[in-house]
């Protein structure tokens, strides 16, 4: 049984919600709590509460974290449709009063070597934890994060040089990567190889499951926003590594974050190193991953 905390910026893209649903529907995973980050952590926390209700997992506690980047010096991006089709006007969706950073620190320090952190948004909460309690780095079991890009895999030429979660708070990312904690980096090198389409949305809708119906509605909002009928499963792939690590091929590396004061800077630079603290994902079995994801969500596995 893998015990994990998901730290999420759920609400814009569909993939955070899909990742949360995958965790809810995977018996190998013990979801200790969900924390929210970036832009409007309160709204995101209420979205998580609603998703957990749809999934019959009201036992999982939810904690709001930091809204602004670590230094407060980066523009915050939100799509504008967060919560639409999911949260009704005036709906009461209470979550824990305790701050996400306090919850993460206390849970890891009380359970050394037992808790995996799964950040699937900007790394602000995680950096704040490491600044406040540096021993988190040696007491966390692992940090499996969605973020960055190395351009070292076979699809390198097709990839951008930066990634949203890192450029949204590069200072926080630098704190995390330099902490010495054991990290698995699930970046665009692999996540841009895992794609779902409107056909997958229809499969979810046809199950008549409340959680899948909520996912399908949010997928509609996202498809309308991006004006496409396909999208990438960045965050579900990240969660899936706690279920089946053989879905990806990794290499040990040292990763640093290069950035300056300008907007949209924050490049992850990876160098192969036998003693590196970061396992960088470079290849993925996308077909097997998508089959597992859809089987879990539709109740076929």
């Amino acid at each position: 049984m893998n015990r994990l905390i998901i730290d999420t910026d759920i609400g814009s893209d569909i993939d955070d919600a899909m990742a949360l649903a995958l965790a809810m529907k995977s018996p190998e995973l013990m979801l200790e709590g969900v924390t929210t980050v970036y832009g409007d952590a309160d709204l995101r926390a209420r979205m998580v509460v609603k998703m957990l209700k749809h999934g019959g997992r009201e036992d999982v506690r939810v904690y709001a974290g930091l809204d602004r980047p670590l230094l407060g010096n980066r523009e915050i991006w939100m799509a504008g449709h967060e919560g639409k089709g999911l949260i009704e006007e005036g709906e009461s969706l209470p979550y824990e009063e305790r701050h996400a950073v306090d919850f993460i620190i206390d849970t890891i320090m009380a359970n050394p070597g037992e808790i995996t952190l799964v950040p699937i948004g900007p790394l602000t909460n995680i950096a704040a934890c490491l600044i406040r309690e540096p021993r988190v780095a040696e007491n966390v079991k692992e940090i499996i994060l969605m973020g960055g890009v190395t351009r070292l895999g076979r699809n390198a030429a097709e990839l951008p040089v930066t990634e949203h979660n890192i450029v949204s708070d590069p200072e926080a990312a630098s704190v995390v990567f330099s902490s010495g904690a054991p990290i698995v980096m699930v970046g665009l090198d692999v996540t841009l190889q895992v794609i779902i389409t409107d056909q997958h949305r229809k499969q979810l809708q046809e199950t008549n499951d409340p959680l899948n119906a909520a996912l399908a509605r949010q997928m509609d909002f996202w498809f309308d926003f991006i004006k496409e009928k396909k999208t990438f499963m960045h965050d579900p792939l990240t969660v899936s590594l706690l279920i089946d690590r053989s879905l990806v091929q990794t290499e040990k590396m040292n990763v640093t974050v290069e950035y300056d004061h300008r907007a949209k800077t924050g490049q992850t630079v990876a160098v192969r190193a036998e003693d590196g603290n970061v396992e960088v994902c470079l290849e993925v079995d996308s077909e097997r991953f998508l089959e597992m994801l859809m089987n879990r969500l539709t109740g076929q596995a």
Side-chain angles (χ1 to χ4, degrees), residues 11-68:
S12 304
D13 196 343
I14 180 58
D15 62 327
D16 290 81
M18 294 281 280
L20 180 60
L22 176 60
M24 281 192 267
K25 294 199 173 189
S26 296
E28 309 93 330
L29 306 184
M30 182 181 292
L31 195 50
E32 299 284 334
V34 180
T35 57
T36 60
V37 70
Y38 189 71
D40 190 339
D42 165 70
L43 172 59
R44 300 193 196 284
R46 289 185 285 122
M47 289 186 69
V48 171
V49 170
K50 191 62 178 284
M51 293 296 294
L52 291 168
K53 282 179 178 286
H54 282 315
R57 291 300 308 276
E58 293 168 80
D59 58 301
V60 177
R61 294 183 177 182
V62 181
Y63 306 81
L66 295 163
D67 292 325
R68 292 169 56 77

Side-chain angles (χ1 to χ4, degrees), residues 115-162:
I115 307 296
T116 298
L117 275 177
V118 185
I120 53 177
L123 291 164
T124 315
N125 282 342
I126 312 306
C129 291
L130 289 161
I131 292 168
R132 183 169 171 184
E133 177 49 272
R135 292 178 299 168
V136 163
E138 61 197 58
N139 283 279
V140 70
K141 182 178 180 181
E142 203 169 32
I143 299 175
I144 303 179
L145 64 87
M146 191 284 126
V149 56
T150 68
R151 307 179 89 236
L152 294 175
R154 60 182 167 81
N155 58 339
E158 305 164 16
L159 299 175
V161 296
T162 59

Side-chain angles (χ1 to χ4, degrees), residues 210-229:
L211 180 60
N212 288 341
L215 292 172
R217 285 195 301 274
Q218 289 175 76
M219 209 177 295
D220 267 334
F221 281 112
W222 183 243
F223 284 162
D224 285 347
F225 181 80
I226 63 174
K227 295 179 171 51
E228 281 197 63
K229 291 293 186 180

Side-chain angles (χ1 to χ4, degrees), residues 89-100:
E89 187 74 31
E91 185 176 8
S92 177
L93 294 165
Y95 54 85
E96 302 297 315
E97 292 184 7
R98 194 172 172 202
H99 196 279

Side-chain angles (χ1 to χ4, degrees), residues 96-289:
E96 302 297 315
E97 292 184 7
R98 194 172 172 202
H99 196 279
V101 171
D102 294 331
F103 165 72
I104 293 170
I105 292 172
D106 292 347
T107 305
I108 289 172
M109 296 305 294
N111 301 275
E114 293 292 323
I115 307 296
T116 298
L117 275 177
V118 185
I120 53 177
L123 291 164
T124 315
N125 282 342
I126 312 306
C129 291
L130 289 161
I131 292 168
R132 183 169 171 184
E133 177 49 272
R135 292 178 299 168
V136 163
E138 61 197 58
N139 283 279
V140 70
K141 182 178 180 181
E142 203 169 32
I143 299 175
I144 303 179
L145 64 87
M146 191 284 126
V149 56
T150 68
R151 307 179 89 236
L152 294 175
R154 60 182 167 81
N155 58 339
E158 305 164 16
L159 299 175
V161 296
T162 59
E163 180 277 326
H164 169 77
N165 286 344
I166 303 300
V167 300
S168 294
D169 197 345
E171 289 87 356
S174 183
V175 169
V176 175
F177 278 108
S178 63
S179 68
I183 294 171
V184 180
M185 174 178 154
V186 188
L188 299 184
D189 307 89
V190 287
T191 66
L192 290 182
Q193 297 183 49
V194 290
I195 300 168
I196 63 167
T197 66
D198 195 53
Q199 186 57 43
H200 294 102
R201 183 196 63 78
K202 290 174 182 174
Q203 282 180 250
L204 294 174
Q205 188 72 58
E206 288 165 1
T207 64
N208 294 316
D209 175 88
L211 180 60
N212 288 341
L215 292 172
R217 285 195 301 274
Q218 289 175 76
M219 209 177 295
D220 267 334
F221 281 112
W222 183 243
F223 284 162
D224 285 347
F225 181 80
I226 63 174
K227 295 179 171 51
E228 281 197 63
K229 291 293 186 180
K230 63 180 182 180
T231 192
F232 305 103
M233 290 289 93
H234 309 282
D235 299 337
L237 179 62
T238 307
V239 169
S240 78
L241 300 197
L242 280 160
I243 302 165
D244 184 356
R245 190 65 63 92
S246 73
L247 289 167
V248 294
Q249 297 175 25
T250 67
E251 287 195 38
K252 271 191 175 300
M253 302 195 188
N254 287 321
V255 176
T256 55
V257 182
E258 292 189 353
Y259 61 91
D260 59 33
H261 64 281
R262 294 170 299 169
K264 302 300 182 186
T265 69
Q267 184 175 359
T268 45
V269 178
V271 178
R272 288 186 176 94
E274 288 185 11
D275 61 347
N277 69 308
V278 183
E279 290 276 355
V280 176
C281 298
L282 294 179
E283 295 298 337
V284 59
D285 187 336
S286 55
E287 187 175 329
R288 191 156 59 89
F289 160 72

